[in-house]
């Protein structure tokens, strides 16, 4: 099983879209979804609780402890063989979880894997869009 951890900080609508992309994955074992709400907002927490699927766990932090601390909190409660840290503004493409799990299973010496990350919805441009530095860039 894969545990998917998301940290919400005033991005509830994005978080729900990211969770929906996880729920839509066609996997043998349904992923465990854990959302940590770092927003410290009653309205945000209520919105998340009302709209998250019943299979998701929502942990409300009494204070914003930061991304890493929130991930550690969720990790301590996770039960998956693998863990995916998913940003609220990210969406999984069909089959992404299976491909990541297969890669880890087939390469037991790997400690982590990461997906291809695209800049656009058409999956034409890989992230991060950047240019190589030039000498003229150092003199600005």
């Amino acid at each position: 099983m894969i545990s998917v951890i998301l940290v919400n900080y005033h991005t509830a609508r994005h978080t729900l879209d990211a969770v929906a992309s996880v729920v839509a994955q066609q996997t043998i074992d349904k992923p465990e979804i854990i959302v940590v709400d770092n927003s410290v907002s009653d309205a945000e927490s209520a919105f998340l609780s009302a709209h998250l699927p019943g299979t998701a766990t929502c942990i409300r932090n009494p204070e914003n402890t930061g991304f890493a601390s929130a991930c550690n909190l969720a990790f301590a409660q996770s039960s998956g063989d693998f863990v995916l840290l998913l940003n609220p503004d990210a969406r999984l493409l069909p089959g992404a979880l299976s491909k990541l799990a297969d890669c880890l299973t087939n390469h037991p010496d790997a400690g982590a894997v990461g997906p291809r990350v695209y800049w656009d919805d058409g999956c034409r441009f890989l992230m991060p869009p950047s240019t190589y530095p030039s000498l003229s860039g150092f003199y600005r």
Side-chain angles (χ1 to χ4, degrees):
M1 179 188 9
I2 300 173
S3 297
V4 180
I5 295 173
L6 299 100
V7 177
N8 178 66
Y9 182 71
H10 299 293
T11 57
R13 292 190 189 278
H14 289 298
T15 301
L16 293 171
D17 288 343
V19 167
S21 77
V22 174
V23 171
Q25 294 292 300
Q26 299 294 320
T27 59
I28 295 171
D29 294 328
K30 289 294 178 195
E32 173 184 49
I33 302 169
I34 304 172
V35 176
V36 180
D37 184 14
N38 264 358
S39 295
V40 193
S41 162
D42 291 338
E44 184 96 359
S45 182
F47 184 81
L48 273 177
S49 295
H51 293 91
L52 280 171
T55 56
T57 300
C58 188
I59 302 168
R60 183 176 183 193
N61 255 346
E63 62 181 323
N64 178 7
T65 58
F67 179 77
S69 177
C71 287
N72 286 336
L73 177 65
F75 181 76
Q77 295 187 26
S78 69
S79 59
D81 299 315
F82 304 118
V83 175
L84 172 66
L85 302 179
L86 185 63
N87 284 353
D89 62 345
R91 306 294 170 268
L92 296 179
L93 294 174
L97 282 182
S98 295
K99 288 178 185 177
L100 291 170
D102 289 347
C103 186
L104 285 169
T105 300
N106 294 328
H107 298 90
D109 55 325
V113 297
R116 286 189 180 124
V117 181
Y118 294 97
W119 181 37
D120 64 320
D121 290 336
C123 301
R124 294 177 306 243
F125 303 102
L126 289 170
M127 281 284 281
S130 62
T131 58
Y132 292 100
S134 65
L135 285 176
S136 63
F138 289 111
Y139 296 107
R140 290 184 186 177

